[in-house]
Amino acid sequence: MAQENLSGAYLVIQKGPQLGKRVELWKECTTIGRSRECDIFLEDIAVHRKQARILLTPAGYILRDDHGSGDSYVNGRPVQEQLLNSNDQLLFGNTQMTFFAHEGTRPFQFASSRGRELHAGKALSAQPASVACLDLISTFGDIRRIELPREMTIGRSRECDIFLEDLAVSRTHVTIHELPNGEYELLDNHSATGTFVNGGAMRRCILRDGDVVQIGASKFIFRLHV
């Protein structure tokens, strides 16, 4: 299965304590479990601390059961490893999720990462508006798209909107926020290793469509659609 170039896969929790949560799979490995160290933390006593992981591979997204007890389910069947397709139903303990392979059916949304809840989708107004995105370039060469809210933090802290597991990244490395005129400003939060835009170190700058932002080992392309 070819990778999606412009949109990312995501999960919607359909049943369980976190009913209604939407989580984006923008990482190459997303862990699921009852441990707070997992990317998707499930407050469900029937879920193992480290239950499963979803891996991005050249073939597509694969669910792998980490606990080995046969209680990770896809479409009602226990699996050890399973290639996922859109609308597959995943079940961990009492938590049921639906997997979606791309964003084609969802309206404008705010960005999320590492399993944090996405805000409910909002219909676009009749007036034209700017939509800003960050395209994360993965090691496979495909692009995962993350739409920007009015303010977003990126860093090594799990409280950041985009969480980067990279020791070269500061805890709250960068803030990107929308200005009143619709432009987006990047602010480096006195990081130890710096933030680079188009190869140059920047403390503060206005982002332009196509700018390449490097934070640690991660590269993002800023996109602004009007």
Side-chain angles (χ1 to χ4, degrees):
M1 180 175 73
Q3 291 294 327
E4 296 289 332
N5 287 337
L6 298 177
S7 58
Y10 62 102
L11 300 167
V12 177
I13 298 179
Q14 306 287 2
K15 180 183 177 182
Q18 294 166 294
L19 174 67
K21 282 193 176 182
R22 186 191 299 244
V23 289
E24 189 165 343
L25 302 176
W26 66 275
K27 295 176 62 179
E28 292 172 13
C29 176
T30 300
T31 55
I32 303 170
R34 191 161 45 85
S35 168
R36 291 186 180 274
E37 296 302 309
C38 289
D39 297 308
I40 301 179
F41 165 57
L42 299 180
E43 298 179 272
D44 180 344
I45 61 172
V47 173
H48 299 292
R49 287 182 54 78
K50 295 184 179 179
Q51 176 83 35
R53 67 187 62 202
I54 296 177
L55 302 169
L56 173 59
T57 74
Y61 283 91
I62 290 176
L63 173 70
R64 179 175 297 165
D65 181 271
D66 284 340
H67 196 261
S69 55
D71 51 4
S72 295
Y73 292 83
V74 177
N75 299 325
R77 295 185 299 108
V79 298
Q80 292 297 320
E81 188 168 294
Q82 175 73 39
L83 181 67
L84 297 175
N85 297 302
S86 274
N87 297 310
D88 276 353
Q89 300 298 308
L90 282 54
L91 180 65
F92 310 107
N94 297 311
T95 304
Q96 182 176 332
M97 310 178 186
T98 303
F99 170 80
F100 296 95
H102 56 80
E103 301 183 25
T105 58
R106 61 174 161 168
F108 175 81
Q109 66 173 49
F110 292 104
S112 179
S113 67
R114 67 153 301 273
R116 295 183 64 181
E117 178 180 1
L118 293 181
H119 296 278
K122 294 184 179 180
L124 292 172
S125 68
Q127 298 297 322
S130 298
V131 178
C133 307
L134 288 177
D135 288 343
L136 172 63
I137 306 170
S138 81
T139 55
F140 292 119
D142 66 323
I143 295 175
R144 320 310 303 168
R145 174 153 293 181
I146 306 166
E147 291 186 15
L148 288 172
R150 294 195 174 184
E151 182 169 297
M152 169 182 279
T153 55
I154 304 173
R156 191 160 46 85
S157 168
R158 290 181 179 270
E159 296 305 312
C160 288
D161 298 298
I162 296 181
F163 165 61
L164 299 177
E165 293 181 283
D166 183 343
L167 292 176
V169 174
S170 297
R171 288 184 58 78
T172 305
H173 198 106
V174 158
T175 300
I176 298 174
H177 65 100
E178 185 180 6
L179 299 174
N181 64 0
E183 292 182 320
Y184 280 78
E185 183 181 50
L186 178 147
L187 176 64
D188 180 278
N189 296 313
H190 304 286
S191 67
T193 56
T195 301
F196 297 84
V197 178
N198 302 325
M202 293 289 177
R203 285 295 182 184
R204 181 192 296 263
C205 70
I206 301 298
L207 293 173
R208 307 297 182 191
D209 184 52
D211 280 352
V212 178
V213 179
Q214 181 162 357
I215 301 169
S218 298
K219 286 187 177 181
F220 303 85
I221 301 174
F222 177 76
R223 298 294 186 191
L224 184 63
H225 304 281
V226 180

